[in-house]
Amino acid sequence: MSGGIGDAVGHHAGEQWLDHTNLDSQVGTRHHVIARQCDQARNHQQGADQEVLQWYCTKAGQDLLQRMILEFQIDHVDRHTENGQGEQWKELLDVGEFELHSDKDIGRFTVSRFDLALNLEVGEDEAFTSPPPFIVYLIGAGRIMGMPPLFKGSGLILGLVFPALTNSTLHAQQFVEETFRLPSQSFYSNQLSVCDFDLDGDLDFAVADGQGYTSQGSALQVRLYVNDGSGNFTDESSIRAAGVTGWFRGVEFGDCDGDGDPDMILAQDYYERPRLLINDGTGVFEDQTIERLPDIRLSSARAQFADVDGDNDLDIAFCDSGSTSRFGSNGRSRLYINDGTGHYLDQSGARFLGGSVMSQQMDALFFDADDDLDLDLYIATRSSGTANSSRLWTNNGSGVFASSLTAGTDYSTYSFDAGDIDGDADLDIIGANAASGNREKLVRNDPGSVWTDITTSISPNPSADDNDSKFFDVDNDGDLDLLIAVLYGSRERIYLNDGSGAFTQDSSLISAVSDATLDIAVADFTGDGRADIITVQGEGGSFQNRFYRNTGPADTRPPIIEQVTLLDPDEDPPSSIRTRLSDAYTSDRGFDPAYVRIEISLGSSDVKAHEMFWVGNSIWSHPVDIQECQGVVTYRILASDRAGNAVEGPWISADLSGSSLAGDLNSDNVVNGADVAIILGYWGSSFGCADTNGDGVVGGPDLATVLANYGSSL
């Protein structure tokens, strides 16, 4: 339903915008109190809310205002308010969408699950001389997020959500702190990982807790927080990971044993063994470290899952700084290779060419740096200088890595994140604290894997000793903005992207909270189609983790299919189809999809749909047993995010019709008994290139072709 505001509420509020002096007869005496306070503010009368009221009533600086966004959440509408208007307002709130009209056409508002947004478009020469009527019409019990209420009474809360006026686009506070959604705690938390580990359809998270900055403190329980479906969390650690304690710096999820549920790897500091926890399918984890991991102690700040060798199981990379702590200098990065069943061998020496000894390793990030759909590895270090700067290890496709510096040396890096900041479909990177002077370092990935330092594209970029970052489309405009986890600051920092990879901070978007954030995650925890923020706290303060609910625009953009590739059918292991996807936010694992599927037809077979397997940051894979003589293979990718935005990729065809050598049906460059076996195996059918003469049936003439060329080779 849509119509003018008079159409919507005219039966009880009148057809026109109301002057504040006439409120008493329209909506009750309580609102007249506000009108009197406005008059007092105009007359410079003193009072606790004088400054706010004066701003509210006068609209000083409206000539500079381009856009106002009012955000409020109504818990419920009281059915017993004055003049019997509660039921009428409940009906109005349930309706949907309205157009607002007066003598000025100023915008629209949308009602969705009692989340209301009013967008006012105001010309440069226009100004309001009385309170926007929609505010004074809000009658009922509830709350309006933002500035403190102007008036509180029985069954009524009336408030404003205008930020201070500026000479640029005006935004409401979009990320509102709602830490009541998290359990109260005081644990030294280092890192979190988001995952639906109990497979109930909503996003839970785990936290790596570990006591002590430079010296080993008490062992702490790994924490598992379970979502009730609406973004409220319960600590179920003692039930789901009973007795698992340690000095954990990193936690990540991945299906290491191929049974369809996410398992958990925990990186430990202070020369302790990592821990591998196996999911029983319901989100209860068993420590199977002894059975599955090498008996090697590490001083590790981070661990990550990825299929590095293309065999469709998940291997594990670790930071390792040696025999003391993560601040040590005699460690090397580690790579554990999966045998296909979730049991691991240390193959670091054979797979890191030139060795991987680096001091003070802080982060390990898998991502596709060179657009070839295998997982490369970035190791971040807190040391500086050429020998110990963070390094990119480039994968040759089979899990063998060679290292290089990207855009020169860096300084005291704590973490890296990867995302496409300029819309060119390759992955750029940001290093938290990686530039000189304890600033963020931004590096653009240009064609040909040329890395360009564009740190000056972050404004401002203060000296701050920050610990983490995420890319995140805050305003749903299709480009990735930037979120910085701030250590000992007044608030987390949010930067808006101009679309080209230049970032400008908007400090009005998130609640001001002073704490010591060590890690930050973005995901839709409340299930409303908006990605929220969770931070974890360590090193200082009260150690209370934080939740920020997103009250801004919902995600309406589907995932992007950036690449699709059919790996070479002649390779061993068997071929796979891989795809790389991106969406509205990043993490070490990529985004959290509702599904990623492939539809595929091999040769003349019917189209079949399969769920694809996550093989590392933003990459999914599906193994296919393709014989060359199956002819044309046709496939496409389908994906959806958790907001329900879906994408269907185009159909892709690969012609695998056979070798140029007559009779070489399996394309191994020789005609032999294997080719005879193909003829006999498909005798009487019309199967692909086994029908060598194209008469529609595999028979004697086709066998004669093979025998005539028997022993030939290329």
Side-chain angles (χ1 to χ4, degrees), residues 210-243:
Q211 196 75 22
Y213 180 68
T214 57
S215 60
Q216 191 170 13
S218 301
L220 297 179
Q221 168 82 45
V222 60
R223 294 286 160 181
L224 295 174
Y225 296 101
V226 177
N227 194 338
D228 68 356
S230 60
N232 300 297
F233 291 87
T234 303
D235 184 351
E236 298 187 5
S237 311
S238 62
I239 300 172
R240 296 181 179 273

Side-chain angles (χ1 to χ4, degrees), residues 6 31 36 66 107-108 143 257 262 305 512 530 554 585 629 654 684:
H31 297 292
R36 291 199 307 270
Q66 298 299 312
R108 61 181 289 275
R143 71 173 184 270
D257 54 3
F305 285 109
R530 300 170 176 87
Y585 59 88
C629 61

Side-chain angles (χ1 to χ4, degrees), residues 271 297-300 318-334 348 355-361 379 381 387-388 393:
Y271 204 47
R297 294 193 293 169
L298 311 174
S299 295
S300 182
F318 296 90
C319 294
D320 178 23
S321 297
S323 57
T324 55
S325 75
R326 69 192 186 285
F327 297 119
S329 60
N330 65 335
R332 61 180 303 164
S333 304
R334 297 279 180 172
S348 309
S356 59
V357 176
M358 292 187 292
S359 300
Q360 301 189 51
Q361 298 175 37
I379 298 292
T381 74
N388 286 308
W393 292 85

Side-chain angles (χ1 to χ4, degrees), residues 25 280 298 442 459 543 564 634:
S25 62
D280 70 353
L298 311 174
L442 187 64
S459 178
F543 297 157
V564 185
T634 306

